[in-house]
Amino acid sequence: ELKVEQNPLFLSMQEGKNYTIYCNYSTTSDRLYWYRQDPGKSLESLFVLLSNGAVKQEGRLMASLDTKARLSTLHITAAVHDLSATYFCAVAGGGSYNTDKLIFGTGTRLQVFP
Amino acid sequence: EAQVTQNPRYLITVTGKKLTVTCSQNMNHEYMSWYRQDPGLGLRQIYYSMNVEVTDKGDVPEGYKVSRKEKRNFPLILESPSPNQTSLYFCASSFLPLYSGNTIYFGEGSWLTVV
């Protein structure tokens, strides 16, 4: 059974600091998604990582994927208040027509304070 | 504009009263899913559809039904809602299967409370 674990669950960080959110998953997969969710809102797609060693960056966020370690990271550089949100990783499990699914981590609630 | 539209957005209902949450997408996507989001559990897949008349159970299908009679619509049916189905529900669609790594579009969410 594919399981996805995120940590930390809560992250309170000061503006200007750096931090990393970790996403571990239990079975082989090379399809990993990162989403952002603001309170009461839908999910906003941040990154899709499609192969081992993939790295993508957008603004202060950088995501990477290590399929051998079954680990993805979301690195935050010089955090600003606007980054306050809940971040989810999700792994595409199955890999076949009749077992297609997206397994989400529990989410990391990030709060950035001055 | 590419959209996944859910209705209703907010609903308070009573135990046992059948309800349907509609989901419609305007992108001609074949793949559609329903998820529920609960605190501390992330999103969990309820049902999945690969095309018209083709559906499959996700991880938490108990108490739910779906149908896919048209490509654009994928309603979620709660035949006899119970309080443990109080949750935030999301519909999602994509052009290719989820394992392809393509963009997945999510609806705005439907807050459902069963009392």
Side-chain angles (χ1 to χ4, degrees):
Chain A
E1 180 186 354
L2 175 57
K3 293 187 178 180
V4 180
E5 293 185 354
Q6 259 181 264
N7 65 82
L9 297 182
F10 299 98
L11 179 55
S12 182
M13 58 190 298
Q14 194 171 17
E15 280 188 333
K17 299 292 187 182
N18 304 332
Y19 209 82
T20 300
I21 298 171
Y22 297 89
C23 176
N24 291 88
Y25 53 97
S26 61
T27 65
T28 57
S29 177
D30 57 1
R31 301 288 188 260
L32 194 129
Y33 299 78
W34 282 98
Y35 292 94
R36 168 184 171 142
Q37 185 182 37
D38 293 300
K41 301 294 186 181
S42 186
L43 281 79
E44 174 189 353
S45 179
L46 294 175
F47 304 107
V48 182
L49 303 170
L50 300 178
S51 61
N52 185 42
V55 177
K56 290 193 174 180
Q57 183 166 4
E58 180 74 32
R60 302 175 187 273
L61 301 177
M62 183 175 70
S64 66
L65 178 61
D66 181 343
T67 59
K68 294 180 181 177
R70 299 177 185 172
L71 171 68
S72 180
T73 61
L74 181 66
H75 187 72
I76 303 157
T77 301
V80 293
H81 180 72
D82 284 351
L83 289 179
S84 297
T86 299
Y87 293 84
F88 290 96
C89 65
V91 178
S96 64
Y97 184 76
N98 62 351
T99 61
D100 200 35
K101 60 174 60 179
L102 205 59
I103 308 297
F104 281 82
T106 52
T108 296
R109 184 174 174 185
L110 171 65
Q111 184 173 21
V112 181
F113 60 92
Chain B
E1 181 188 355
Q3 275 189 328
V4 178
T5 303
Q6 296 179 223
N7 280 294
R9 295 288 316 283
Y10 305 91
L11 179 64
I12 300 174
T13 190
V14 296
T15 298
K17 185 177 181 182
K18 180 180 178 180
L19 69 92
T20 299
V21 185
T22 64
C23 174
S24 180
Q25 48 91 6
N26 63 357
M27 297 166 279
N28 202 36
H29 286 169
E30 291 190 350
Y31 299 87
M32 298 184 75
S33 300
W34 276 103
Y35 297 85
R36 60 177 289 172
Q37 182 178 11
D38 302 290
L41 296 176
L43 281 78
R44 294 176 292 167
Q45 190 181 62
I46 304 171
Y47 266 97
Y48 178 67
S49 174
M50 309 77 153
N51 210 330
V52 175
E53 302 292 1
V54 184
T55 63
D56 201 2
K57 295 178 180 179
D59 292 322
V60 288
E62 295 78 18
Y64 304 95
K65 288 175 60 177
V66 293
S67 69
R68 188 93 181 272
K69 300 188 187 309
E70 308 168 274
K71 184 181 275 192
R72 66 182 292 126
N73 296 322
F74 189 42
L76 179 70
I77 304 158
L78 287 73
E79 293 272 2
S80 182
S82 62
N84 64 11
Q85 292 179 296
T86 293
S87 188
L88 174 59
Y89 291 86
F90 286 102
C91 179
S93 76
S94 60
F95 183 68
L96 296 173
L98 298 177
Y99 65 81
S100 71
N102 70 151
T103 300
I104 302 167
Y105 295 81
F106 284 85
E108 291 297 310
S110 295
W111 290 88
L112 173 63
T113 301
V114 183
V115 297

